[in-house]
Amino acid sequence: MSAFTERETLWGALTRPWDLIIIGGGITGASVLREATRAGLKALLVEQRDFAWGTSSRSSKLVHGGLRYLATGDVPLVRQSIRERKRLLAEGNGLVKPLDFMLASHAREGGKHWQGRAGIFVYELLTGRWPRGNHATARLRELEPSLVREEGLIGVPYDEAWVDDARLVLRIVREAMAAGGSALNHVRVTGLLREDGRVAGVELMDTVGQRSATVRARAVVNATGVWADSVRAHLSAAPKLRPLRGSHLVFSSQRFPLAHGISFRHPRGDRFVCVMPWEDSTLVGTTDLDHPTPLSQEPSISSEEVAYLMEAVESRFPALKLTLDDVVSCYAGVRPVISSGASDPSKESREHLVLEEEGLVTVTGGKLTTCRAIAHDALRALRHRIPELSALEPDGPFLGTPPSLDDVPLSPEARLRLRGRYGADAPALVATAHPGELDAVPGTSTLWAELRWAARNENVVHLDDLLLRRVRLGLLLPRGGEAHLPAIRALCQRELGWDDARWESEAQAYLTLWRTHYALPERPHLPTEDEATPKLPGVRLASPQTKPVQPRTVKLQGGPVHYADYGGSGPTLVMLHGLGGCHLNWLPAAPMLTKHARVLALDLIGFGRTPMAGRSVGVASQQRMLQHFLTEVVGGPAVLVGNSWGGLVALAHAAQAPETTAGLVLVSPAQPPPRGTRLDPVQAARLVLHTMPGVGEYILWRDGKRSGARGLFMDLLTLGCADVRRVPQEVVEENTALIAERMERMPLGHSASYLRATRSMLLTLLGRNRFESWVRGVRVPTLLVHGRQDRLVPVASSEALATLRPDWSFEPMDNIGHVPQMEDAPRFVARMVRWLDESRVAPPRLPALAAS
């Protein structure tokens, strides 16, 4: 019976009574289905997209023992993970493969170096083996020659395993179906049925056949992972999840050869990055960012994540000289993480959650390694409704034992591969192969016969189901395997039952999907090897494609003013920085906003580009300068975006000159503490120190601890949260020259200016009545963003400000400081664009720029 016939037969039988309905066809839903059928239940699984479409085909491909959880003291979770990994290695041999891992660490990392070594020592003991000796620098060079050759770098070995995550899901689903379970992909739940106040079934919509059905069951399990809150919303339940995006780069193993998995700390933080061999490639990952994009959209890696991962690769594997042209593909997945309110996404617990609400059992969170144990926890919550589940053995087998392929003319590796991926289906796959189809697709270990088998038997509805999940050619081959599409068509079109028009449509849709979500995003402008020296550290590009920021100068009343023109069209955004930097502080967010607005970044204090002589730096004088800029340069009302000092100036301007203000965005603005408290000396000291990084850097430079003006400029940008790798070379050189000249000519000039500006800010904040009158006087749409990691102003201050103006949009955003950093800029931009749409900010008159 073909997969199409099976689908039609099952759809016609949906009205029969079911014991259990499982919503979600990822690793958790598949595992619940498998264990439910083992208990003898009549169970149905429905998936709105394709099996493993979501997180379960976009994971890190690791079946790991939970080493990271030792840092939080969660030893029981580590023990469980190690136990479940051992089970999967034994039962999924050929699909789950052991992998030697190493932590690359250096003594200069201080306490973190010893913490990592101690953690692996305990981890190895928990696996039941005595810890192995560390690999010294010389041995490390022998094991991984491309790893940076740095004296003192050691490798701390430990055990992990890797898996083809999508194939694991498919094998579990097919074994469950063989045992009497039922599963439908591309079927969406449109509602929950309730009887006597409890969930008793679901309303379904077949997105393939455009038909609907009502299905009843004794129990319903919500195993939709990151979409769990969407299903719970039918019960008006409060959200519990924090969607986090993890992204990966895929290199060919020929270009990036690797014998071990290697984890190491990213050069810009404590977060670990892993590189590991997988299939016929090398994976680099992962990021860990909040994912504000609607979950209905396919997730994609951002250009900031690409730069972050490439920076990690270059820091540890410089000898390979990898560029973005070496990236074969990339992918992003969204993890279902239970929200605890932690400011750092990486600090959120990866524990799973099982809860029952009005008869609906939701299971979400957790990780792939413990999928069997998570399924048992979910089914345990149903025993009071389905007593038969009490007989389910908690430690019984999970995956079936596949038959032997000893008589098949294949290499031992290929036989093991087929048995692991296809289980009991492996002999039939080989038997239905046509001549030559037991050969591998060039550049991969995938056999042509796997494509025919999947097209005929594995519920393929769209071409991306086949090439991205049944087999992984879309990740492993350049351009998603476009060059092999004619051969794939000859092999699979008839098996799929598609006519020529359907094939052409599916092929075009697949290639569009791949280019949009699995190819590298639009490349930022970064220096190439042919550009002027000295070069900026970071990613090398073969061909920059985007125009860099344009530094401009305009002569206004009171002297020259410098700003950055990012281009764009629509409403004009004028971005004002705080005391500690220049217009480059907005570099992470500004280019993204140009798709929605005209973006200018004004240099208020002028550390980077404007000489200090004769410049008044008080709040009132800055507001007057802004007024001249808006009337003479912009030529009409603009949305003012300000942080820290810039936020204070923007607030004053919006209250006192509404005719040139179309909207106001305050990002952790400088503000007094809540009502009833005072600006204590400690807070005042923090304001001074963190709004004047130039002063501290200047002192360090004078003490000989910096390499000069260039080092000072780079440090200042880093403190200002701008990614120095994105700063055009000419801007770096011009600012460096200005700083060097000022240091020689006015060694204390800029420090005195900072002190005057800070004094003006403190006096303004202490004048509470004036500040509050500004707040109450704003009559334009306002978005107030506060980062919970901000070092300048306590969160309570922003909450008090939001209370003072409840009509403002208030958005607490984790990890965003007083300037959005590279990793957080996409989320900040998404929120700001949504606010612009909601506020309906009108475009201003055409500007007549008087810039030189």
Side-chain angles (χ1 to χ4, degrees), residues 63 82-99 159-163 399 416:
V63 181
I82 291 172
R83 183 171 61 250
E84 293 300 319
R85 181 182 65 189
K86 183 177 180 180
R87 178 193 297 272
L88 286 172
L89 279 167
E91 298 179 2
N93 187 22
L95 174 59
V96 183
K97 293 188 176 183
L99 177 63
D159 292 331
E160 292 292 14
W162 67 261
V163 66
L399 297 176
L416 182 62

Side-chain angles (χ1 to χ4, degrees), residues 7 10-11 14 44-47 51 182-187:
R7 184 183 183 90
L10 177 55
W11 187 266
L14 288 179
L44 168 69
L45 180 148
V46 291
E47 161 59 43
F51 302 125
S182 301
L184 283 169
N185 57 344
H186 296 281
V187 171

Side-chain angles (χ1 to χ4, degrees), residues 411-676:
S411 67
E413 293 79 12
R415 289 198 295 267
L416 182 62
R417 184 180 189 280
L418 291 180
R419 294 180 72 227
R421 279 165 170 73
Y422 299 93
D425 291 332
L429 185 154
V430 173
T432 57
H434 291 193
E437 291 181 2
L438 293 181
D439 295 335
V441 177
T444 75
S445 298
T446 303
L447 306 185
W448 289 106
E450 296 181 60
L451 289 152
R452 180 183 296 281
W453 172 263
R456 178 185 296 177
N457 299 286
E458 292 192 335
N459 307 95
V460 171
V461 174
H462 298 295
L463 189 56
D464 61 287
D465 297 346
L466 176 66
L467 297 181
L468 290 174
R469 287 172 288 280
R470 302 305 182 277
V471 297
R472 313 312 293 270
L473 299 183
L475 294 180
L476 300 175
L477 293 176
R479 297 180 299 282
E482 182 178 5
H484 294 290
L485 283 183
I488 295 171
R489 179 177 187 172
L491 195 69
C492 299
Q493 182 176 344
R494 184 174 179 181
E495 301 288 358
L496 291 166
W498 295 349
D499 58 21
D500 290 345
R502 173 71 185 277
W503 177 271
E504 294 292 344
S505 172
E506 288 286 343
Q508 185 59 47
Y510 165 71
L511 292 175
T512 300
L513 174 74
W514 191 91
R515 291 164 187 155
T516 306
H517 299 288
Y518 294 88
L520 287 172
E522 183 180 354
R523 299 182 181 186
H525 174 76
L526 296 171
T528 68
E529 293 197 19
D530 296 329
E531 289 182 332
T533 58
K535 300 181 181 67
L536 289 174
V539 184
R540 293 183 298 271
L541 288 181
S543 54
Q545 297 178 350
T546 57
K547 187 178 180 181
V549 56
Q550 296 296 314
R552 299 189 185 278
T553 302
V554 62
K555 292 182 179 180
L556 299 176
Q557 183 178 341
V561 173
H562 301 276
Y563 65 98
D565 187 348
Y566 289 92
S569 60
T572 298
L573 305 183
V574 176
M575 312 185 85
L576 313 173
H577 57 80
L579 285 175
C582 63
H583 56 251
L584 296 174
N585 286 149
W586 292 107
L587 206 57
M592 301 181 198
L593 286 166
T594 57
K595 296 179 180 179
H596 311 276
R598 172 78 186 279
V599 181
L600 308 174
L602 181 61
D603 195 344
L604 283 178
I605 302 300
F607 179 83
R609 300 185 55 84
T610 305
M612 288 290 105
R615 170 63 63 82
S616 178
V617 290
V619 175
S621 62
Q622 293 287 295
Q623 190 248 321
R624 286 194 297 270
M625 184 185 79
L626 177 58
Q627 174 73 6
H628 290 305
F629 182 79
L630 292 173
T631 55
E632 299 178 34
V633 178
V634 176
V639 177
L640 306 182
V641 186
N643 68 291
S644 185
W645 166 269
L648 194 63
V649 173
L651 178 64
H653 188 86
Q656 297 178 341
E659 68 279 359
T660 53
T661 309
L664 183 62
V665 180
L666 303 175
V667 187
S668 295
Q671 56 193 285
R675 218 179 255 279

Side-chain angles (χ1 to χ4, degrees), residues 11 14-16 18 21 193 201-204 212-216:
W11 187 266
L14 288 179
T15 54
R16 74 181 188 185
W18 297 87
I21 296 174
L193 298 179
V202 295
E203 298 282 355
L204 299 180
S212 60
T214 299
V215 188
R216 287 177 166 79

Side-chain angles (χ1 to χ4, degrees), residues 537-791:
V539 184
R540 293 183 298 271
L541 288 181
S543 54
Q545 297 178 350
T546 57
K547 187 178 180 181
V549 56
Q550 296 296 314
R552 299 189 185 278
T553 302
V554 62
K555 292 182 179 180
L556 299 176
Q557 183 178 341
V561 173
H562 301 276
Y563 65 98
D565 187 348
Y566 289 92
S569 60
T572 298
L573 305 183
V574 176
M575 312 185 85
L576 313 173
H577 57 80
L579 285 175
C582 63
H583 56 251
L584 296 174
N585 286 149
W586 292 107
L587 206 57
M592 301 181 198
L593 286 166
T594 57
K595 296 179 180 179
H596 311 276
R598 172 78 186 279
V599 181
L600 308 174
L602 181 61
D603 195 344
L604 283 178
I605 302 300
F607 179 83
R609 300 185 55 84
T610 305
M612 288 290 105
R615 170 63 63 82
S616 178
V617 290
V619 175
S621 62
Q622 293 287 295
Q623 190 248 321
R624 286 194 297 270
M625 184 185 79
L626 177 58
Q627 174 73 6
H628 290 305
F629 182 79
L630 292 173
T631 55
E632 299 178 34
V633 178
V634 176
V639 177
L640 306 182
V641 186
N643 68 291
S644 185
W645 166 269
L648 194 63
V649 173
L651 178 64
H653 188 86
Q656 297 178 341
E659 68 279 359
T660 53
T661 309
L664 183 62
V665 180
L666 303 175
V667 187
S668 295
Q671 56 193 285
R675 218 179 255 279
T677 62
R678 61 187 180 85
L679 193 67
D680 59 67
V682 174
Q683 188 178 12
R686 287 177 180 169
L687 283 169
V688 172
L689 290 175
H690 292 298
T691 56
M692 297 194 308
V695 176
E697 291 297 325
Y698 172 76
I699 295 171
L700 289 175
W701 179 81
R702 284 287 297 270
D703 291 342
K705 297 180 181 178
R706 288 287 184 264
S707 58
R710 184 183 180 84
L712 170 57
F713 180 67
M714 292 298 185
D715 289 337
L716 179 61
L717 285 179
T718 302
L719 286 168
C721 305
D723 189 331
V724 297
R725 290 172 295 106
R726 299 204 168 213
V727 182
Q729 186 70 34
E730 62 272 15
V731 176
V732 174
E733 298 307 322
E734 185 175 352
N735 279 275
T736 300
L738 282 170
I739 294 169
E741 178 186 0
R742 190 174 311 133
M743 284 178 175
E744 296 301 327
R745 185 165 49 87
M746 297 189 304
L748 293 176
H750 68 282
S751 299
S753 298
Y754 276 113
L755 290 171
R756 290 198 303 273
T758 304
R759 181 180 62 183
S760 175
M761 181 176 71
L762 291 175
L763 290 174
T764 301
L765 296 179
L766 288 170
R768 184 185 300 277
N769 292 337
R770 177 168 52 162
F771 179 85
E772 290 191 1
S773 69
W774 286 348
V775 174
R776 297 184 187 279
V778 173
R779 294 291 179 266
V780 295
T782 301
L783 172 64
L784 174 62
V785 178
H786 192 92
R788 295 191 180 277
Q789 282 192 338
D790 192 86
R791 299 172 298 177

Side-chain angles (χ1 to χ4, degrees), residues 203-215:
E203 298 282 355
L204 299 180
M205 169 62 71
D206 179 8
T207 59
V208 178
Q210 299 302 315
R211 52 193 172 180
S212 60
T214 299
V215 188

Side-chain angles (χ1 to χ4, degrees), residues 156-169:
V156 188
Y158 59 101
D159 292 331
E160 292 292 14
W162 67 261
V163 66
D164 183 335
D165 47 3
R167 281 309 320 177
L168 177 62
V169 172

